């Protein structure tokens, strides 16, 4: 390279240390400090570099050794031909271009709608008795495992005792949130519960419980409800909750089995009186109920599926009624069969299935619906079997037409008393505590009065059932929460007075005993209407409980105020610590 083309050389920076060691440059002789053209080139390059550093956004000046190494590498690389000086500065324009590119790519990926963020699981407590939990600090990994075990045990007890799926889920979420696990995930399907939790360092923990059988125990439900309420209110620690839950697991039933059996018999006798049976039909109904319950317990020892046990019980009730009618003991044997059907109906499963379907638990609702329809199929099959066997034995058919009677003061008073007894017997049969018996009678009486009033107004049976059950659910929720129990403790006993047992028997009898005036299609349509009316009871009970959510009871207010005071105390302590 000569001095004539030195102005067109690349603009590189050559450190002073390299000038004495790189040999002849630009036609200069060895040992010379450099030609004037090279010195001019170096000065121009230095000024250009200073200008770039001034325009840099960070103003960061590279270290001397890095600059020297980069300059040496550029100087050692020959330039192929004629080139211009580099003046492209990565400044503000490049940053703006990158920002625009990122924004454009973001629009292409996410579209015009906002991103869907995960909904915090604590929002599931809105509208429940546990909507204001006092959240503890996040525990350690070992403590988190213990909390998950506690929550899973709570769910297992509730599933076995007969709680609804939504009640189980909110109880688990409230217990975990109160103990510091605010990011748990609950998966509850049919008879299986799975609780997932991820620690801050990414470790996953999973606890599962499986319920292999139900044993209705409303007293346990009330105890678990009180336990979770104390956890939410901040008045109970983990170790105390663990001890109380262990005591609840071994809690004894409030009533003995023989007393419960007699109470179910009393309920059937009261239903016979409620439907219009005479003085002889009432004790006969009590005896029939005790008989079919004992038959069911005896057959259950053989581990026969529940479908066949229910069918045999329904057939036994039908045969007892036909025998009593043929011997002239009672004038209306259909009332006995209707009361026996009410005893066998899967009332709690029907209510839970409808509740699960309406509260976004489709899989659990589907499983419960299958069980409900199998039980109804067993009842229908048993009724048909009893009618066929009775006719084969030469018995006279049962007259299913219900005679209309005028309202009388004494009859009305007896009907009201019978409805209250039915509700109280239902509370005892579901093993509720003694303090729930009178409230159950009040709710059952109110729902029965509503049903009778709507019937006198000639309202459709399905709509009347829906509205009457709505009244029961509306009254049951605040009363049960005030007594420290979930709403199901009072709802199920209250709707026993509204169950459509007589309509089911009438439809099945029309199917089994087809005559000139009745056909299989007519009986099947009547059966569908009867099942729909019983399903309307469950829908109405769930609707009434939902409508009663805004109502504030005294205990809920006290828990919420206690939680607010606890949270304010914790915030005050944290502020004091920060100031210190």
């Amino acid at each position: 390279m000569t001095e004539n083309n030195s102005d067109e050389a690349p603009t590189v920076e050559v450190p002073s240390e390299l000038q004495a060691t790189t040999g002849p440059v630009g036609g200069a002789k060895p040992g010379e400090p450099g030609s004037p053209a090279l010195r001019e080139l170096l000065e121009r390059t230095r000024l250009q570099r200073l200008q770039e550093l001034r325009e840099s956004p960070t103003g960061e000046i590279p270290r001397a050794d890095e600059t020297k190494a980069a300059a040496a590498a550029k100087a050692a690389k020959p330039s192929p031909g004629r080139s211009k000086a580099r003046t492209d500065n990565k400044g503000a324009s490049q940053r703006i271009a990158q920002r625009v590119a990122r924004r454009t790519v973001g629009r292409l990926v996410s579209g015009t709608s906002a991103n869907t963020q995960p909904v915090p699981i604590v929002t599931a407590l809105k509208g429940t008795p546990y909507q204001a939990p006092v959240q503890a600090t996040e525990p350690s990994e070992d403590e988190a495992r213990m909390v998950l075990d506690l929550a899973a045990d709570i769910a297992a007890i509730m599933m076995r005792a007969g709680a609804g799926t939504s009640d189980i889920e909110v109880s688990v979420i409230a217990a975990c949130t109160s103990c510091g696990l605010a990011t748990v995930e609950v998966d509850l399907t049919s008879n299986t519960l799975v609780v997932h939790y991820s620690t801050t360092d990414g470790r996953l923990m999973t606890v599962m419980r499986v319920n292999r059988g139900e044993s209705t125990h409303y007293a346990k439900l009330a105890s678990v409800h009180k336990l979770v309420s104390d956890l939410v209110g901040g008045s109970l620690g983990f170790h105390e909750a663990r001890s109380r839950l262990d005591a609840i697991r071994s809690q004894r039933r409030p009533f003995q089995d023989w007393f419960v059996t007699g109470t179910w018999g009393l309920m059937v006798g009261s239903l016979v009186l409620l439907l219009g049976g005479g003085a002889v039909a009432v004790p006969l109904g009590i005896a029939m109920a005790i008989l079919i319950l004992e038959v069911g317990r005896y057959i259950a020892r053989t581990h026969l599926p529940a479908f066949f046990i229910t069918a045999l019980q329904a057939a036994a009730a039908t045969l007892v009624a036909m025998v009593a009618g043929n011997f002239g003991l009672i004038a209306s044997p259909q009332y006995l069969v209707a009361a026996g059907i009410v005893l066998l109906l899967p009332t709690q499963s029907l209510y839970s299935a409808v509740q699960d379907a309406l509260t976004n638990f489709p899989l659990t609702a589907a499983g419960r619906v299958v069980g409900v329809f199998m039980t109804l199929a067993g009842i229908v099959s048993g009724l048909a079997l009893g009618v066929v066997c009775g006719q084969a034995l030469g018995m006279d058919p049962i007259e299913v037409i219900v005679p209309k009677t005028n309202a009388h003061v004494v009859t009305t008073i007896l009907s009201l008393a019978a409805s209250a007894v039915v509700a109280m017997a239902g509370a005892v049969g579901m093993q509720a505590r003694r303090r729930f018996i009178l409230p159950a009678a009040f709710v059952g009486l109110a729902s029965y009065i509503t049903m009778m009033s709507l019937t006198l107004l000639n309202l459709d049976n399905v709509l009347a059932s829906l509205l009457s059950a709505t009244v029961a659910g509306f009254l049951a929720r605040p009363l049960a929460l005030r007594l420290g129990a979930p709403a199901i403790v009072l709802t199920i006993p209250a709707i026993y007075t509204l169950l459509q047992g007589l309509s089911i028997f009438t439809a099945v009898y029309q199917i089994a005993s087809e005559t000139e005036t009745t056909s299989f299609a007519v009986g099947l349509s009547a059966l569908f209407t009867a099942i729909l009316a019983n399903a309307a009871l469950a829908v109405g009970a769930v609707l009434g409980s939902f409508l009663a959510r805004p109502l504030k009871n005294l205990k809920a207010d006290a828990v919420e105020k206690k939680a607010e005071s606890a949270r304010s105390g914790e915030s005050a302590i944290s502020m004091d610590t920060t100031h210190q």
Side-chain angles (χ1 to χ4, degrees):
M1 189 179 298
T2 60
E3 292 181 1
N4 296 330
N5 59 4
S6 62
D7 292 339
E8 299 176 355
T11 58
V12 295
E13 180 180 358
V14 181
S16 59
E17 292 86 351
L18 297 177
Q19 296 178 9
T21 59
T22 55
V25 179
K29 297 180 180 181
E32 293 182 358
S35 63
L38 179 59
R39 287 196 296 273
E40 183 180 356
L41 173 64
L42 294 176
E43 182 66 17
R44 196 164 56 244
T45 304
R46 185 179 65 82
L47 294 175
Q48 181 180 351
R49 181 59 177 165
L50 289 176
Q51 183 66 24
E52 289 178 359
L53 291 176
R54 292 191 187 98
E55 294 177 357
S56 176
T58 58
E60 181 180 355
I61 301 177
R63 292 180 296 181
D65 53 351
E66 295 179 356
T67 305
K68 293 173 183 179
K74 291 183 179 180
K77 183 177 180 181
S79 177
R82 185 174 179 176
S83 61
K84 295 182 179 180
R86 294 182 57 189
T87 58
D88 50 334
N89 300 327
K90 296 182 179 180
S93 60
Q94 186 176 7
R95 294 196 305 273
I96 294 174
Q98 291 176 352
R99 193 178 301 116
V100 172
R102 285 195 297 267
R103 191 180 300 117
T104 304
V105 173
R107 289 197 189 101
L108 292 175
V109 173
S110 61
T112 57
S113 60
N115 292 332
T116 303
Q117 300 295 332
V119 180
I121 198 170
V122 74
T123 57
L125 302 179
K126 185 178 180 180
T128 68
Y130 317 123
Q131 60 184 357
V134 177
Q135 299 185 19
T137 57
E138 184 177 3
S140 62
E141 183 176 349
D142 295 337
E143 293 174 344
R145 172 70 66 177
M146 297 169 63
V147 172
L148 291 180
D149 288 334
L150 174 68
D153 290 340
I154 288 175
I157 292 176
M158 295 182 69
M159 284 192 292
R160 183 169 177 79
T165 306
S166 60
D167 296 334
I168 297 173
E169 185 190 49
V170 298
S171 298
V172 172
I173 295 173
C176 291
T177 305
S178 301
C179 295
L181 306 183
T183 59
V184 295
E185 294 294 339
V186 182
D187 184 15
L188 185 60
T189 56
S190 187
N191 59 344
T192 305
L193 170 79
V194 180
V195 185
H196 304 274
Y197 176 68
S198 176
T199 60
T200 53
D201 55 355
R203 295 185 180 182
L204 299 178
M205 290 184 288
T206 302
V207 178
M208 184 179 70
R209 293 292 186 274
V210 178
N211 178 34
R212 294 182 175 86
E214 289 188 1
S215 179
T216 305
H217 197 333
Y218 282 177
K220 276 189 177 181
L221 286 183
S223 300
V224 173
H225 179 86
K226 182 65 168 59
L227 169 65
V228 178
S229 298
D230 292 342
L231 273 175
V232 170
S235 61
L236 190 66
F238 169 78
H239 297 288
E240 293 83 358
R242 180 78 263 181
S243 301
R244 281 179 54 177
L245 188 63
D246 293 338
I248 292 173
R249 183 183 287 107
S250 59
Q251 181 178 343
R252 299 182 62 182
R253 295 176 177 271
F255 307 101
Q256 299 293 330
D257 291 339
W258 63 269
F259 186 79
V260 173
T261 302
T263 304
W264 285 124
L266 181 61
M267 187 191 77
V268 172
S270 300
L271 284 171
V272 172
L273 179 62
L274 194 65
L275 293 173
V280 180
V282 172
L284 189 59
I286 296 175
M288 181 196 69
I290 296 174
L291 174 64
I292 62 177
L293 287 176
E294 292 299 327
V295 168
R297 289 196 185 99
Y298 181 78
I299 300 176
R301 297 175 184 175
T302 63
H303 301 286
L304 191 68
F307 171 83
F308 301 103
I309 297 176
T310 305
L312 292 176
Q313 288 177 312
T318 305
L319 288 174
V320 168
M322 293 184 71
V323 169
N326 278 267
F327 280 93
L329 297 178
I330 54 178
S332 300
Q334 68 269 20
Y335 297 144
L336 284 180
V337 184
I341 292 174
V342 171
L343 180 63
L344 299 176
L345 281 175
T347 309
Q348 178 175 312
S349 299
L350 179 62
Y351 173 81
S352 299
V354 172
Q355 185 184 35
D356 294 344
L358 296 177
T359 53
N360 296 326
F361 292 96
L363 294 179
T364 307
R368 292 185 188 273
V369 166
V370 171
V372 168
F373 274 100
M374 290 303 297
T375 305
L376 291 175
I379 293 174
V380 172
S381 302
L383 292 176
L385 178 63
V387 170
V388 172
C389 291
Q391 291 178 353
L393 295 175
M395 297 182 185
D396 296 333
I398 297 177
E399 183 65 38
V400 296
I401 299 177
V402 180
K404 293 184 178 180
T405 57
N406 296 325
H408 193 272
V409 177
V410 178
T411 305
T412 303
I413 294 175
L414 290 177
S415 298
L416 294 177
S419 64
V421 172
V422 168
M424 288 190 293
V428 174
M430 292 295 176
Q431 293 289 347
R433 290 181 178 176
R434 292 178 176 84
R435 69 171 184 265
F436 296 107
I437 295 178
L438 289 180
F442 168 73
V443 178
L445 183 61
S447 60
Y448 178 75
I449 292 175
T450 305
M451 184 70 176
M452 291 297 100
S453 302
L454 297 176
T455 304
L456 292 176
L457 295 175
N458 294 324
L459 200 65
D460 181 70
N461 186 32
V462 176
L463 183 57
S465 300
L466 176 66
L467 296 178
S468 302
T470 303
V471 172
F474 186 82
L475 295 176
R477 178 182 172 86
L479 284 176
L481 292 180
R482 185 169 185 178
L483 294 173
I488 193 175
V489 175
L490 296 181
T491 303
I492 298 300
I495 63 177
Y496 269 112
T497 59
L498 308 175
L499 292 173
Q500 307 290 320
L502 186 58
S503 58
I504 292 178
F505 173 69
T506 302
V508 174
Y509 197 86
Q510 291 175 353
I511 294 174
S513 302
E514 188 174 356
T515 61
E516 296 180 356
T517 58
T518 60
S519 61
F520 179 82
V522 173
L524 192 62
S525 176
L527 179 61
F528 177 77
T529 304
I531 295 175
L532 184 62
N534 285 284
L537 294 177
V539 175
V542 175
L543 176 61
S545 180
F546 179 80
L547 294 177
R549 278 190 172 190
L551 298 180
K552 296 287 186 178
N553 57 79
L554 299 178
K555 181 160 291 195
D557 288 340
V559 171
E560 189 170 350
K561 290 179 180 178
K562 191 172 184 179
E564 291 292 339
S565 62
R567 280 194 294 270
S568 61
E570 291 178 357
S571 61
I573 293 174
S574 62
M575 290 178 62
D576 293 341
T577 306
T578 304
H579 289 309
Q580 291 177 359

